[in-house]
Amino acid sequence: MLERYLELTDYRNSGGHFFDQPSKKTFKELVKKNKIAIFLCMIPVIFLFWTVYESINEKNSIQRQKDETLVELKINLEQNNWRKADILTRVLFRGSYSNNPRTKLSCNDYYIINKNWIENSNGRFGLTVQKYLWQKSLSQAIQSKKWLFDNENSQALLLFGEVVGWRSRKENRWLRYDEIVFEAPLEQFPTGYFPVSWGEIDEHNWDMPALSKVLNQCEIR
């Protein structure tokens, strides 16, 4: 009995505790016996990290593609390649009709697109040029009261199409995209002729009232 007491006393004096070793063994045994349960508990954590990783990768990839398209747009506008520049602009706008919010254009994207069109056309083309002509057409439609059985936006759109050269007043129809002129001296194009926006983009029409609203919200004038 005395010997057992001395053993316990020596163990306590050495800084240990009588119950330490059994506890450690028990913990190790629990881990060993519950490896599958622990692994199953880790699956949601692993899935969460993977989802975040994939989300970041997708976001970076979309932004990289958008940036590359903006650069390509700038290069083609500098070369007065109106056809290619118009197609690239439509590609950028297509993202705004996607269900993926990451593909939507930011205010900075709208600013860059508009800036490049204006600077490379001596102010003849661009989104803000079209916005000004749209608002002017809307004002004329309201004053003319020709939209008695229609809304003012519909009448304004007809006026706007004629002003920018996308609609034939004589034939009372919108031009087809393959009828749009891309090769001509700059001064021969109607003001606001590019970028062409009336054609369907993935079953959505480029909505001039909506575009005007976005440019106002982004304070792009």
Side-chain angles (χ1 to χ4, degrees):
M1 186 70 179
L2 179 61
E3 290 178 356
R4 180 59 176 166
Y5 173 77
L6 291 174
E7 286 177 2
L8 292 176
T9 303
D10 290 340
Y11 184 71
R12 291 193 184 97
N13 291 338
S14 65
H17 192 278
F18 178 73
F19 295 103
D20 280 355
Q21 283 189 328
S23 297
K24 289 182 179 178
K25 282 186 177 180
T26 303
F27 179 73
K28 289 180 180 178
E29 289 174 358
L30 284 172
V31 171
K32 187 175 181 180
K33 290 179 179 179
N34 294 279
K35 282 183 178 179
I36 296 178
I38 293 172
F39 175 74
L40 292 175
C41 290
M42 288 296 294
I43 289 177
V45 177
I46 295 171
F47 179 76
L48 176 62
F49 275 104
W50 178 255
T51 302
V52 172
Y53 174 77
E54 285 291 298
S55 177
I56 293 173
N57 267 359
E58 182 191 19
K59 181 179 179 180
N60 291 340
S61 176
I62 291 173
Q63 187 59 51
R64 184 166 57 252
Q65 292 175 6
K66 191 187 296 182
D67 292 341
E68 290 173 355
T69 305
L70 286 170
V71 170
E72 192 176 356
L73 172 64
K74 184 176 186 295
I75 292 172
N76 279 275
L77 284 173
E78 289 173 345
Q79 298 172 351
N80 291 342
N81 187 348
W82 309 123
R83 184 187 298 274
K84 181 65 174 179
D86 189 70
I87 292 173
L88 290 169
T89 303
R90 293 167 72 87
V91 168
L92 288 165
F93 270 74
R94 189 178 293 121
S96 294
Y97 294 102
S98 169
N99 293 326
N100 189 342
R102 294 190 180 93
T103 66
K104 296 186 182 300
L105 297 177
S106 66
C107 286
N108 188 57
D109 294 330
Y110 282 109
Y111 173 80
I112 293 173
I113 293 170
N114 183 58
K115 179 174 179 289
N116 284 323
W117 274 104
I118 288 178
E119 288 184 349
N120 292 283
S121 65
N122 295 329
R124 201 173 193 87
F125 309 140
L127 305 181
T128 50
V129 175
Q130 292 177 347
K131 184 186 80 167
Y132 168 77
L133 295 173
W134 162 253
Q135 291 175 337
K136 186 176 180 180
S137 298
L138 183 59
S139 177
Q140 291 176 355
I142 293 173
Q143 293 175 7
S144 68
K145 299 185 182 300
K146 290 181 180 179
W147 45 274
L148 182 60
F149 300 104
D150 203 349
N151 62 62
E152 61 268 30
N153 281 348
S154 297
Q155 182 63 30
L157 189 60
L158 298 179
L159 295 173
F160 173 77
E162 293 171 2
V163 169
V164 298
W166 303 341
R167 178 177 169 79
S168 170
R169 178 183 297 180
K170 182 179 179 181
E171 298 178 13
N172 191 31
R173 70 177 181 88
W174 292 86
L175 302 180
R176 300 188 307 274
Y177 193 74
D178 60 9
E179 294 179 296
I180 295 296
V181 177
F182 291 99
E183 305 294 334
L186 181 61
E187 61 275 7
Q188 291 186 13
F189 287 107
T191 301
Y193 195 67
F194 293 122
V196 181
S197 64
W198 54 262
E200 289 189 352
I201 303 176
D202 291 347
E203 300 180 355
H204 292 276
N205 288 319
W206 190 328
D207 191 343
M208 280 309 302
L211 177 60
S212 179
K213 182 179 179 181
V214 169
L215 294 177
N216 287 334
Q217 290 174 342
C218 292
E219 298 183 351
I220 301 174
R221 299 180 174 86

PDB file of all heavy atoms in Angstrom, residues 37 41 92 100 119 203 214:
ATOM      1  N   ALA A  37     -16.909   8.093 -39.562  1.00  0.00           N
ATOM      2  CA  ALA A  37     -17.818   9.171 -39.149  1.00  0.00           C
ATOM      3  C   ALA A  37     -17.158  10.530 -39.299  1.00  0.00           C
ATOM      4  O   ALA A  37     -17.783  11.503 -39.754  1.00  0.00           O
ATOM      5  CB  ALA A  37     -18.246   8.949 -37.697  1.00  0.00           C
ATOM      6  N   CYS A  41     -18.219  13.631 -41.790  1.00  0.00           N
ATOM      7  CA  CYS A  41     -18.430  14.997 -41.290  1.00  0.00           C
ATOM      8  C   CYS A  41     -17.607  16.014 -42.072  1.00  0.00           C
ATOM      9  O   CYS A  41     -17.980  17.186 -42.175  1.00  0.00           O
ATOM     10  CB  CYS A  41     -18.070  15.072 -39.807  1.00  0.00           C
ATOM     11  SG  CYS A  41     -19.233  14.190 -38.736  1.00  0.00           S
ATOM     12  N   LEU A  92     -20.719  41.320 -76.172  1.00  0.00           N
ATOM     13  CA  LEU A  92     -20.660  41.859 -74.816  1.00  0.00           C
ATOM     14  C   LEU A  92     -22.059  42.085 -74.249  1.00  0.00           C
ATOM     15  O   LEU A  92     -22.332  41.756 -73.086  1.00  0.00           O
ATOM     16  CB  LEU A  92     -19.878  43.180 -74.815  1.00  0.00           C
ATOM     17  CG  LEU A  92     -18.363  43.051 -75.026  1.00  0.00           C
ATOM     18  CD1 LEU A  92     -17.754  44.400 -75.370  1.00  0.00           C
ATOM     19  CD2 LEU A  92     -17.697  42.473 -73.788  1.00  0.00           C
ATOM     20  N   ASN A 100     -26.806  34.259 -65.806  1.00  0.00           N
ATOM     21  CA  ASN A 100     -25.632  34.316 -64.926  1.00  0.00           C
ATOM     22  C   ASN A 100     -25.306  35.779 -64.621  1.00  0.00           C
ATOM     23  O   ASN A 100     -24.911  36.523 -65.523  1.00  0.00           O
ATOM     24  CB  ASN A 100     -24.437  33.637 -65.594  1.00  0.00           C
ATOM     25  CG  ASN A 100     -23.259  33.479 -64.654  1.00  0.00           C
ATOM     26  OD1 ASN A 100     -23.181  34.139 -63.613  1.00  0.00           O
ATOM     27  ND2 ASN A 100     -22.327  32.619 -65.009  1.00  0.00           N
ATOM     28  N   GLU A 119     -14.631  57.821 -79.394  1.00  0.00           N
ATOM     29  CA  GLU A 119     -13.285  58.315 -79.705  1.00  0.00           C
ATOM     30  C   GLU A 119     -12.827  57.901 -81.100  1.00  0.00           C
ATOM     31  O   GLU A 119     -12.039  58.617 -81.726  1.00  0.00           O
ATOM     32  CB  GLU A 119     -12.292  57.815 -78.663  1.00  0.00           C
ATOM     33  CG  GLU A 119     -12.439  58.488 -77.305  1.00  0.00           C
ATOM     34  CD  GLU A 119     -11.377  58.047 -76.330  1.00  0.00           C
ATOM     35  OE1 GLU A 119     -10.643  57.067 -76.636  1.00  0.00           O
ATOM     36  OE2 GLU A 119     -11.274  58.674 -75.252  1.00  0.00           O
ATOM     37  N   GLU A 203     -32.793  35.821 -78.680  1.00  0.00           N
ATOM     38  CA  GLU A 203     -34.237  35.980 -78.527  1.00  0.00           C
ATOM     39  C   GLU A 203     -34.622  37.188 -77.681  1.00  0.00           C
ATOM     40  O   GLU A 203     -35.758  37.313 -77.236  1.00  0.00           O
ATOM     41  CB  GLU A 203     -34.876  34.703 -77.933  1.00  0.00           C
ATOM     42  CG  GLU A 203     -34.648  33.463 -78.797  1.00  0.00           C
ATOM     43  CD  GLU A 203     -35.284  32.228 -78.195  1.00  0.00           C
ATOM     44  OE1 GLU A 203     -35.816  32.318 -77.077  1.00  0.00           O
ATOM     45  OE2 GLU A 203     -35.254  31.177 -78.854  1.00  0.00           O
ATOM     46  N   VAL A 214     -30.023  52.451 -68.024  1.00  0.00           N
ATOM     47  CA  VAL A 214     -28.749  51.967 -67.455  1.00  0.00           C
ATOM     48  C   VAL A 214     -27.671  53.035 -67.554  1.00  0.00           C
ATOM     49  O   VAL A 214     -26.919  53.285 -66.612  1.00  0.00           O
ATOM     50  CB  VAL A 214     -28.283  50.691 -68.187  1.00  0.00           C
ATOM     51  CG1 VAL A 214     -26.840  50.348 -67.800  1.00  0.00           C
ATOM     52  CG2 VAL A 214     -29.192  49.525 -67.835  1.00  0.00           C
TER      53      VAL A 214
END
